[in-house]
Amino acid sequence: MSGHKLLFDGLKLWTSGRSRWISRLHDGINGRVQACFSSFSPKVCIVGSGPAGFYTAQHLIKARQDVEVDIYERLPVPFGLVRFGVAPDHPEVKNVINTFTQTAKHSRCSFYGNVNVGRDVSVEELQRAYHAVVLSYGAEGNRRMGVPGEDLAGVYSAKDFVGWYNGLPSCRELSPDLSCETAVILGQGNVALDVARILLSPIDILKKTDITQPALEALVDSQVRRVLIVGRRGPIQVACTIKELREMVNLPDTRPEMVAADFEGVTEAVKDLPRPRKRLTELMLKTALEVPGEKEQERRNRASRVWAFRFFRSPVEILANPDNNRTAGIRLAVNRLEGSGEGARAVLTGEVEDVACGLVISSIGYKSLPIDPSVPFDSYKAIVPNSMGRVQQAAGLYCSGWLKTGPTGVIATTMNNSFDTARSLLEDMDSGTLDVSAARPGSQSISGLLEKRGVRPVTFSDWEKIDSVETSRGDATGKPREKLLTVEEMLQLARK
């Protein structure tokens, strides 16, 4: 018995010791696995904090539990075109900021503002620090018209004009001269209609928005009473959406002035159009050709401002005043269409017409610019050449947003295109095409480089200080926010 007991006690001792050893071993392995897990987390860097950047980050973080994402932004403030491009009287579109804020505050996401990639740090340095780099910095260049006189005073790009009334620091000095009666906008997309609406909106509407104070004051004194929105093709090819057109039609204190001849044959063509285009065209026809009801006629009679589409027209030259120092008008070529529907081409007829105006705003598109000599760039298309967001001939480099597709679509379009890029990146991780087996230092090494170069990034909590001051300044005047207009002011506040 004593031998059995001895054996039993020994077995018990060995078992308890073994279980303690296994427990310690488990803890040790677990600790090491967790340490490995965190140090070997795939690290992704996103350049640009507009919708494309944030949607790419959002999808990566949700789809994979170990991915860490760092977002670098040139300005001290995030959100790109949601902050600087969306019209002030469209606050509902800016609600996506709430979603982006959730992403920015996620434990596996960090925001570094005030870092100019291509100048403060190179793309190659980012590639060494991260497993993958996604370029999402958008389209901050202007497409030029390529006509004589486009550099005269009184000619502006829509991008700069929108940046001016939305508080983009680089457009703060624009100070457009609004002392003329007629403004001509070239282009018939949503941005063109945004600009027309801002020029013609009653001040009582604008002063409740987050439009900048200098822009509001300039619009109070504006003499602009007539805005022509010019397109090279016809009503069936107009690029705006029905929402923007409806806002123009219903804009208080304005009336439409269309040319009936521009709509010849359109009524017959409407029945064959796809539904969204059909509804848009029907609203245009109704606005242009139908005799308004008594109430609408009364409203139009009282209106002190006028807007109009002008179709089948292309800019030929900006005409100068007698002193040759500022805009006095625009010469437009008269076009005819070859083909039909979306694919119709504008062909010159040889006729021209001159329109007197003191303000010309070119809304013919934004364009992306190259960021770094190491990144492939198609200058003709103004995009980074890519396949589903994978940059060609550049392993580990991706792009999303307008840099990937060109400046097309609305925020929802950018969301889908950014999710596609994120999916491409995740597929490459899963397949081993993108090697994430070795640890990368990520922001740790980039922070060191920036510190040596005297660059101090702005964190998301620094941005929240700016946000808080802007909203409290807005509260004081009945606006959603009063934006800070210079990088210096932003940095001063962020560092308090």
Side-chain angles (χ1 to χ4, degrees), residues 223-278:
Q223 299 302 304
V224 176
R225 294 292 176 269
R226 182 168 174 256
V227 175
L228 303 182
I229 307 161
V230 176
R232 62 194 165 87
R233 298 193 293 169
I236 290 172
Q237 292 81 29
V238 73
C240 64
T241 54
I242 192 165
K243 176 182 180 288
E244 272 68 20
L245 178 59
R246 196 178 285 121
E247 285 177 318
M248 284 306 303
V249 172
N250 297 326
L251 191 63
D253 195 33
T254 68
R255 70 174 179 274
E257 254 184 25
M258 307 286 201
V259 176
D262 283 351
F263 293 86
E264 275 175 27
V266 173
T267 306
E268 295 73 47
V270 163
K271 60 181 182 300
D272 299 322
L273 296 174
R275 190 164 180 271
R277 171 67 69 185
K278 184 178 181 181

Side-chain angles (χ1 to χ4, degrees), residues 115-372:
V115 178
N116 192 333
V117 173
R119 190 188 70 189
D120 299 334
V121 61
S122 72
V123 171
E124 286 171 323
E125 286 168 330
L126 292 174
Q127 286 181 287
R128 284 196 289 273
Y130 291 88
H131 294 103
V133 174
V134 186
L135 302 173
S136 306
Y137 61 82
E140 52 188 358
N142 293 316
R143 287 194 185 278
R144 285 179 67 81
M145 291 180 278
V147 301
E150 73 176 305
D151 295 318
L152 280 169
V155 181
Y156 305 94
S157 75
K159 186 190 87 62
D160 291 348
F161 196 80
V162 168
W164 167 70
Y165 64 63
N166 271 333
L168 184 63
S170 60
C171 300
R172 190 173 64 96
E173 305 290 339
L174 198 71
S175 189
D177 183 350
L178 307 179
S179 62
C180 60
E181 186 180 321
T182 300
V184 169
I185 301 172
L186 299 166
Q188 295 178 327
N190 284 345
V191 175
L193 268 70
D194 283 347
V195 170
R197 207 175 56 252
I198 295 300
L199 282 170
L200 296 176
S201 282
I203 293 301
D204 284 350
I205 292 175
L206 293 179
K207 68 183 184 189
K208 293 173 187 154
T209 72
D210 67 356
I211 193 167
T212 65
Q213 197 55 34
L216 190 62
E217 287 164 12
L219 288 162
V220 167
D221 296 332
S222 170
Q223 299 302 304
V224 176
R225 294 292 176 269
R226 182 168 174 256
V227 175
L228 303 182
I229 307 161
V230 176
R232 62 194 165 87
R233 298 193 293 169
I236 290 172
Q237 292 81 29
V238 73
C240 64
T241 54
I242 192 165
K243 176 182 180 288
E244 272 68 20
L245 178 59
R246 196 178 285 121
E247 285 177 318
M248 284 306 303
V249 172
N250 297 326
L251 191 63
D253 195 33
T254 68
R255 70 174 179 274
E257 254 184 25
M258 307 286 201
V259 176
D262 283 351
F263 293 86
E264 275 175 27
V266 173
T267 306
E268 295 73 47
V270 163
K271 60 181 182 300
D272 299 322
L273 296 174
R275 190 164 180 271
R277 171 67 69 185
K278 184 178 181 181
R279 288 173 61 229
L280 173 66
T281 311
E282 283 171 345
L283 177 57
M284 234 181 307
L285 281 167
K286 183 182 177 189
T287 307
L289 304 180
E290 274 188 27
V291 178
E294 194 180 329
K295 198 173 174 186
E296 173 62 10
Q297 188 62 62
E298 202 177 306
R299 185 187 82 83
R300 290 186 187 185
N301 290 343
R302 283 201 309 268
S304 67
R305 300 172 183 209
V306 172
W307 67 274
F309 280 131
R310 285 290 179 270
F311 296 105
F312 311 111
R313 303 289 185 272
S314 302
V316 174
E317 184 182 354
I318 310 298
L319 306 171
N321 65 353
D323 295 333
N324 216 33
N325 61 0
R326 63 164 302 105
T327 303
I330 184 166
R331 180 159 294 153
L332 298 169
V334 180
N335 305 327
R336 62 180 172 80
L337 287 192
E338 273 186 6
S340 60
E342 302 287 337
R345 286 188 326 114
V347 178
L348 297 174
T349 62
E351 288 177 61
V352 294
E353 66 179 32
D354 292 351
V355 177
C357 63
L359 178 64
V360 174
I361 297 172
S362 167
S363 185
I364 58 171
Y366 292 39
K367 76 170 184 178
S368 295
L369 303 170
I371 193 174
D372 191 297

Side-chain angles (χ1 to χ4, degrees), residues 46 67 164 472:
I46 293 174
V67 170
W164 167 70
S472 62

Side-chain angles (χ1 to χ4, degrees), residues 361-414:
I361 297 172
S362 167
S363 185
I364 58 171
Y366 292 39
K367 76 170 184 178
S368 295
L369 303 170
I371 193 174
D372 191 297
S374 70
V375 178
F377 192 79
D378 182 331
S379 302
Y380 179 72
K381 292 182 181 172
I383 59 165
V384 167
N386 70 91
S387 171
M388 290 298 285
R390 297 174 178 97
V391 176
Q392 288 165 14
Q393 284 105 38
L397 195 59
Y398 300 81
C399 60
S400 67
W402 284 358
L403 186 64
K404 171 185 171 186
T405 60
T408 57
V410 291
I411 289 175
T413 324
T414 297

